[in-house]
Amino acid sequence: MADFEKPHDVPEDDAQLARMGHKAELQRNFSTLSMLGLAFAVLNSWTALSASLSISLTSGGSTSVIWGLVTAGTCNLCIAASLAEFLSAYPTAGGQYHWVAVSWPQWVPILSWVTGWINVAGWIALVATNALLSSQLIAGIVSAVYPDFVWQRWQQFLIYVGYTILAFVVNAFMNSVLPVIYRGAFTWSIGGFALVSITVLACASPDYSSAYFVFCDFVNQTGWPDGVAWLLGLLQGGLGVTAFDAVAHMIEAEVPQPSIRGPKIMVSCVGIGTFTGAVFLIVLLFVAGDIDEVINSSAGPLLQIFLHATKNTAGAICLLMLPLVCLAFATLSVMTTSSRMIFAFARDGGLPASKFFARVHPKLGVPINALGLTALVVVIFGCIYLGSTSAFNAIISSSVVALDLSYAMPIAVNCLRGRNILPDRYWKVPSVMGWVIDMISLSYIALTTVLFLFPPERPVTGSSMNYCIVAFAIIVIVSVVQWIIDGRKNFKGPRVDV
């Protein structure tokens, strides 16, 4: 690409974007606090971790809940620190698929294609994950109020679809107020975390669980060997601290000084998420009461813990409203990020009908077609829930595995090329430390990618298998067909349009 001369009337942020080959099309209206609010709302750690307690309570018990999060949080901090170097050097909405392109030019088309498809799939699956967690909390409220009510899968599926449509409508028609919403999301999340923690501790006093139970109790109801069961429980911790690449996908055209602010936001949201998540889970386990009742409750583990702590149904439901609203914010923010990722990949010709999905609505100022594609695929993806008893694990596994694989691609390329390919940047990890965190990151991703495709329990039946592998097979088939038909001829990686 020819050297780019910045005209005097072009902002530095837009000039930096132009040097990477793109013109600014979206409004740059997110402050650092708004962006941190969006990133924290995407991770939504304390809420996501508590809403997905059913994963770890039967697959390692308290040891998996607490120490699994510590393990996942530490490894994801390493991943975030590694990716922050790329973000500081190349702050573009393409994120991972753009970074592998500039890191290994001779392998641009295929590396960018694979990384882009994996990343798009991961973000769409994450929208589905948040909508599913929300629908489960709502179903739990109904079960707590009407214990004899028996939920049908299609009923919960309709709640899931309703959440998805709501997120689409807000993203499409209320874009100008999204920064305000995300600032509110950050405040609501931190305030809700503090309020719920203090309330349940005060209500349960002095009937707390022992410290041994909170930090050392081991439970295995999966049918897998104990070691495998504990590792499978890492899925809960992995969900709670993943998706921090939201910062990259939103930062290109919507955050000032992206190469400086972006890396700080990316690493900070993982650190905040791990800390608040660990504290909240410890609080919940101290007030959990009868753990067998928590595991088997039709109201769900989180609401049952609130019921044990408050000994009042109305009070427990009021407390549940706080994480439920957080999940609503999360569904909004994840769909925002997913649509920006689809927009960026389509802009570079990576999807079928790319020109259609890369359009920005002239009046709304958002990639409306990318938003519509996200909502449609999320609804289709949710159909897994209608036919599988392990759909909860399958949908969560799909999002965590796909996102982690997309993180591994630029890190692996950087390592294979000696960690000396990035230009001067504001965020730079010292060489030796960089190698250490890269090796930790790649080892963690390799291990969990295999494990999270396992069925959650044995023996395995047709309805209890982990359909995450089926979802990946469909993605692979569609991407390979698209590559053969169009990609190998026309896809050249990130395009230059300036």
Side-chain angles (χ1 to χ4, degrees), residues 83 92-99 111-127 242-250 334 337-342 344-345 351 374 398-410 472 475:
L83 294 183
T92 169
Q96 295 91 304
Y97 88 88
H98 190 113
W99 298 336
L111 281 179
S112 289
W113 185 273
V114 171
T115 306
W117 272 87
I118 291 173
N119 202 202
V120 166
W123 275 101
I124 291 176
L126 194 62
V127 179
T242 195
F244 43 84
D245 59 312
V247 180
H249 304 312
M250 289 295 295
V334 173
T337 309
S338 175
S339 67
R340 299 316 192 263
M341 176 61 210
I342 291 174
F345 196 41
L351 295 176
T374 299
S398 297
S399 60
V400 175
V401 168
L403 289 173
D404 281 355
L405 282 175
S406 74
Y407 302 156
M409 295 292 283
F472 270 105
I475 294 167

Side-chain angles (χ1 to χ4, degrees), residues 108-285:
V108 165
I110 191 64
L111 281 179
S112 289
W113 185 273
V114 171
T115 306
W117 272 87
I118 291 173
N119 202 202
V120 166
W123 275 101
I124 291 176
L126 194 62
V127 179
T129 295
N130 281 278
L132 180 61
L133 290 174
S134 302
S135 67
Q136 288 205 325
L137 291 188
I138 293 173
I141 293 173
V142 176
S143 296
V145 178
Y146 303 101
D148 296 330
F149 182 79
V150 179
W151 276 95
Q152 302 298 319
R153 289 187 172 276
W154 65 267
Q155 293 170 319
Q156 190 168 335
F157 177 72
L158 290 179
I159 301 176
Y160 167 93
V161 172
Y163 246 79
T164 303
I165 293 174
L166 176 63
F168 168 79
V169 170
V170 173
N171 270 281
F173 302 108
M174 299 175 64
N175 182 57
S176 61
V177 299
L178 283 179
V180 177
I181 292 175
Y182 293 139
R183 283 196 294 271
F186 183 72
T187 304
W188 180 279
S189 185
I190 294 297
F193 158 77
L195 180 60
V196 173
S197 299
I198 293 171
T199 301
V200 295
L201 285 173
C203 291
S205 178
D207 299 323
Y208 299 133
S209 303
S210 67
Y212 179 88
F213 167 79
V214 173
F215 296 103
C216 303
D217 187 62
F218 184 85
V219 176
N220 181 8
Q221 298 180 4
T222 65
W224 291 102
D226 288 350
V228 175
W230 191 90
L231 290 171
L232 290 176
L234 281 174
L235 178 59
Q236 181 202 13
L239 171 66
V241 290
T242 195
F244 43 84
D245 59 312
V247 180
H249 304 312
M250 289 295 295
I251 206 164
E252 172 190 294
E254 294 172 88
V255 178
Q257 297 180 303
S259 61
I260 300 174
R261 298 183 181 186
K264 296 178 182 179
I265 296 171
M266 179 178 281
V267 175
S268 296
C269 66
V270 178
I272 294 172
T274 302
F275 174 76
T276 56
V279 171
F280 192 66
L281 290 177
I282 290 171
V283 169
L284 290 181
L285 290 174

Side-chain angles (χ1 to χ4, degrees), residues 56-77:
S56 292
L57 286 179
T58 59
S59 191
S62 299
T63 59
S64 183
V65 172
I66 301 300
W67 301 115
L69 173 59
V70 172
T71 302
T74 301
C75 293
N76 275 273
L77 271 173

